[in-house]
């Protein structure tokens, strides 16, 4: 078995490590449960799991303030949980039930929360990037000091609309953080096969946008980079690019031929680089909790996830007349 490098002494607190541990574990256990419900036929349509990438959203949410916004792709369950959305409402949306965030009409890829400033959930690859710049434009216009996190993948990063958005975001000095979750694959296509200059963050230089690459399996490094990016945006210096190097352990979606990478490749990263295991080691090494106490946390998280799954099974399917609601806005927005 591969051995893990011992972690360096971290610049953090017991409370922060335990919070990160809980938050990342919630995403992992939630996604494992979603995988099970999918297998049981309770989830229809597409479902993209976030297992392996937990440190990205948990680290960046630790750098965000109340009122900051986020928008992402279809691989969105982790983002919703990390920004404080209710696991019950997320799981019930996966099962297409009335108690879901989109009343069961959106499914895995289409959920929103005005209260938590979560703007989706988008199935069209890359489409959320200009939407993120639009959200930042609105905040800049209002002068409210808010920042938007626009998350997208390595595959999306090669799209034309991303380049167009970089140009306008820098031209208008918008407070948007472009977060490239580089998990090395776009469905079954590796970055190596698809991309001429694979350091995605460096493309910002053509537009004068600052940025950096970050170890996405180290939640503390993600948080530190997030704080830097947030400070840059809030100071009115325009957008920032964070290319976060991460890895997805599961298939692209629930159907994946798994022929584009070896089992050994996945296994090696799980064993040597896993973000939750990293924090667990820091906690044990710093004697912030015992193995038994960590097991207790795992039990508590499993209970939260089981409760969400029960809710998602018991919540009724939407009534037929729901087909005609939420199609058009009732009134024109009043400078909301
Ligand atoms: C415009 C568009 N083209 C193609 C697809 C099909 N598609 C869905 S996900 C995906 C791969 C995207 O990969 P990446 O941006 O790296 O995100 P990841 O799935 O790795 O999170 C593709 C090609 C789509 N949904 N939208
Ligand atoms: Mg990818």
């Amino acid at each position: 078995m591969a051995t893990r490098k011992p972690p360096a002494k971290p610049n953090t607190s017991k409370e922060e490590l335990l919070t990160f541990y809980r938050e990342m574990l919630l995403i992992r256990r939630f996604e494992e449960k979603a995988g099970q419900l999918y297998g049981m036929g309770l989830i229809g349509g597409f479902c993209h799991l976030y297992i392996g990438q937990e440190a990205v959203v948990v680290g960046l949410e630790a750098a965000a303030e109340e009122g900051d916004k986020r928008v992402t792709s279809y691989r969105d369950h982790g983002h919703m949980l990390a920004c404080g959305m209710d696991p019950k409402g997320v799981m019930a949306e996966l099962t297409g039930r009335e108690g879901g965030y989109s009343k069961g009409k959106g499914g895995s890829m289409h959920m929103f929360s005005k209260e938590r400033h979560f703007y989706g959930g988008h199935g069209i690859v890359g489409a959320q990037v200009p939407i993120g710049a639009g959200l930042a434009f609105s905040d800049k216009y209002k002068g409210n000091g808010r920042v938007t996190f626009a998350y997208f993948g390595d595959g999306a990063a090669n799209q034309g609309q991303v380049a167009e958005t970089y140009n306008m975001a820098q031209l208008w000095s918008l407070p948007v953080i472009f977060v490239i979750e580089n998990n090395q694959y776009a469905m079954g296509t590796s970055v190596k096969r698809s991309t001429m200059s694979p350091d995605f963050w460096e493309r910002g230089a053509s537009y004068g946008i600052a940025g950096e690459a970050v170890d996405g399996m180290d939640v503390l490094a993600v948080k530190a980079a997030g704080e830097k990016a947030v400070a840059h945006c809030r100071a009115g210096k325009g957008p920032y690019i964070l290319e976060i190097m991460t890895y997805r352990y599961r298939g692209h979606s629930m159907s994946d031929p798994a022929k584009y990478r070896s089992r050994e490749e996945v296994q090696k990263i799980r064993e040597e680089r896993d973000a939750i295991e990293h924090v667990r080691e820091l906690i044990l090494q710093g004697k912030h909790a015992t193995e038994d106490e960590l097991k207790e946390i795992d039990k508590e998280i499993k209970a939260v996830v089981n409760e969400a799954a029960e809710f998602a099974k018991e919540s009724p399917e939407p009534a037929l007349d729901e087909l005609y609601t939420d199609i058009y806005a009732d009134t024109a927005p009043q400078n909301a």
Side-chain angles (χ1 to χ4, degrees):
M1 195 178 115
T3 49
R4 294 173 56 80
K5 269 196 290 178
K9 201 167 174 356
N11 178 19
T12 179
S13 64
K14 166 184 172 174
E15 288 68 34
E16 185 171 64
L17 285 173
L18 286 168
T19 302
F20 285 157
Y21 185 69
R22 272 178 190 280
E23 291 179 351
M24 290 196 288
L25 208 55
L26 173 65
I27 297 173
R28 185 156 303 178
R29 299 285 176 253
F30 181 97
E31 293 291 64
E32 287 166 355
K33 181 59 81 180
Q36 282 171 15
L37 297 190
Y38 195 95
M40 291 160 70
L42 287 162
I43 296 176
F46 286 106
C47 182
H48 309 82
L49 302 182
Y50 197 62
I51 296 178
Q53 300 183 210
E54 298 90 345
V56 181
V57 285
V58 167
L60 290 182
E61 283 295 338
E65 274 178 16
E66 185 54 43
D68 289 339
K69 299 181 165 74
R70 58 284 287 164
V71 63
T72 187
S73 72
Y74 43 84
R75 199 177 300 288
D76 54 358
H77 315 158
H79 302 70
M80 294 188 270
L81 298 175
C83 76
M85 287 168 65
D86 182 356
K88 285 188 189 148
V90 180
M91 198 68 98
E93 191 56 46
L94 297 187
T95 54
R97 307 300 174 95
E98 201 178 83
Y101 269 98
S102 301
K103 300 187 205 159
K105 297 187 283 185
S108 162
M109 306 193 281
H110 307 111
M111 278 182 252
F112 307 86
S113 166
K114 213 172 161 186
E115 301 78 55
R116 297 309 313 131
H117 311 284
F118 179 77
Y119 289 84
H122 294 269
I124 305 300
V125 169
Q128 72 276 20
V129 183
I131 292 172
L135 291 167
F137 180 88
S138 145
D139 284 333
K140 175 150 187 181
Y141 185 76
K142 291 176 189 157
N144 61 13
R146 302 276 58 98
V147 162
T148 295
F149 294 83
Y151 293 87
F152 52 105
D154 43 278
N158 276 334
Q159 276 202 349
Q161 62 183 325
V162 173
E164 293 177 40
T165 306
Y166 284 172
N167 179 53
M168 294 179 88
Q170 178 69 357
L171 185 68
W172 293 337
S173 207
L174 303 181
V176 54
I177 302 171
F178 296 111
V179 183
I180 304 166
E181 296 200 53
N182 185 349
N183 62 11
Q184 300 176 41
Y185 294 95
M187 297 183 83
T189 306
S190 68
V191 169
K192 284 192 196 99
R193 284 208 296 141
S194 65
T195 304
M196 202 45 234
S197 32
D199 294 314
F200 290 105
W201 71 272
E202 287 188 344
R203 296 182 190 177
S206 325
Y207 308 86
I209 305 178
E212 61 192 282
V214 186
D215 178 357
M217 303 310 257
D218 178 350
V219 68
L220 300 171
V222 176
K223 182 195 167 196
E227 283 175 338
K228 202 169 147 192
V230 165
H232 179 95
C233 288
R234 280 205 228 285
K237 295 182 184 166
Y240 200 91
I241 299 177
L242 292 176
E243 179 182 354
I244 310 207
M245 308 310 294
T246 183
Y247 198 76
R248 96 173 129 68
Y249 298 168
R250 296 288 187 96
H252 165 72
S253 66
M254 302 310 288
S255 69
D256 181 312
K259 292 210 170 117
Y260 52 89
R261 61 182 182 182
S262 65
R263 273 169 185 267
E264 290 71 33
E265 178 184 306
V266 183
Q267 196 58 23
K268 189 169 158 58
I269 295 184
R270 282 196 95 126
E271 281 171 6
E272 295 181 8
R273 309 272 300 112
D274 186 72
I276 299 180
E277 203 48 44
H278 173 238
V279 168
R280 196 183 130 79
E281 281 174 18
L282 291 176
I283 291 171
L284 292 173
Q285 204 179 58
K287 302 203 185 331
H288 301 310
T290 63
E291 297 256 6
D292 282 349
E293 283 162 344
L294 293 182
K295 271 190 199 141
E296 206 47 48
I297 292 178
D298 201 354
K299 248 172 127 180
E300 284 168 31
I301 303 275
K302 276 187 182 143
V304 170
V305 168
N306 285 337
E307 213 183 304
E310 282 315 303
F311 178 78
K313 287 184 208 162
E314 281 163 18
S315 175
E317 290 192 344
L320 276 183
D321 58 9
E322 277 294 341
L323 276 171
Y324 304 101
T325 64
D326 305 317
I327 298 167
Y328 298 110
D330 290 337
T331 52
Q334 301 294 315
N335 194 23

